[in-house]
Amino acid sequence: MRRNRRRALAAVALAILNAWALVSLLAFTALWLVVPGPHVAVVAPAAAAVGLLGALVLLSPVLWVRDRTLDQLGAVTLRPGELARVDGLVSGLAIAVGTPPVALALLADDAPNALTVGLRPSRTTLVVTTGLVERLTRDELDPQPRGHAVRAQEAAG
């Protein structure tokens, strides 16, 4: 999980760096044409500042990716306990992993499928389809088979 978190942070940092470089280059070119004479000492810092501001403006929609994605999918956000069958499994998994429980959303689709949307565990939503909830048994939904948990408890006790 830490490796995935590092990868996600690296991807966001790289996106910010790329956007900053692109906007800075465009700003540098524009300022170079506007400011008379070769004033690199004035143009370069101004272009860097404009580039940083532009990168933040360009990438700010990423912060709202979860809500936008859920709206585009047509997924309905569920309150805790509303889909008890999946809610209990997700809560148990969050406790086992040591992360806050994620929000749940339901997508009307016959295909058994699931996806997560979010940038951090505290702002992540697990989207499950109606096909997943209707077709799979509790044992199929559970990430840890019951037999393994019982054997582990018997070995410990």
Side-chain angles (χ1 to χ4, degrees):
M1 185 146 94
R2 286 186 180 142
R3 186 176 77 210
N4 286 342
R5 201 172 285 158
R6 282 192 303 263
R7 285 180 181 171
L9 287 174
V12 169
L14 185 62
I16 291 171
L17 183 64
N18 284 337
W20 174 76
L22 176 66
V23 175
S24 293
L25 182 64
L26 292 173
F28 183 83
T29 304
L31 288 172
W32 188 266
L33 295 173
V34 171
V35 176
H39 300 293
V40 176
V42 174
V43 173
V50 169
L52 182 60
L53 183 64
L56 293 176
V57 169
L58 281 173
L59 295 174
S60 64
V62 170
L63 300 175
W64 296 281
V65 70
R66 179 183 75 159
D67 299 330
R68 191 173 63 236
T69 303
L70 294 176
D71 289 343
Q72 288 173 349
L73 286 172
V76 178
T77 304
L78 302 172
R79 291 185 300 268
E82 203 169 347
L83 189 59
R85 188 170 169 211
V86 177
D87 199 28
L89 294 172
V90 171
S91 297
L93 184 59
I95 290 169
V97 174
T99 62
V102 297
L104 286 175
L106 187 64
L107 178 64
D109 191 351
D110 292 332
N113 211 343
L115 67 112
T116 57
V117 181
L119 296 175
R120 329 173 262 224
S122 62
R123 297 245 327 130
T124 298
T125 300
L126 171 64
V127 181
V128 293
T129 62
T130 52
L132 181 83
V133 176
E134 292 169 357
R135 290 185 187 176
L136 299 182
T137 66
R138 179 174 172 85
D139 288 339
E140 290 172 326
L141 286 172
D142 197 343
Q144 180 179 357
R146 293 279 174 230
H148 294 260
V150 171
R151 280 188 229 117
Q153 287 176 351
E154 289 173 355

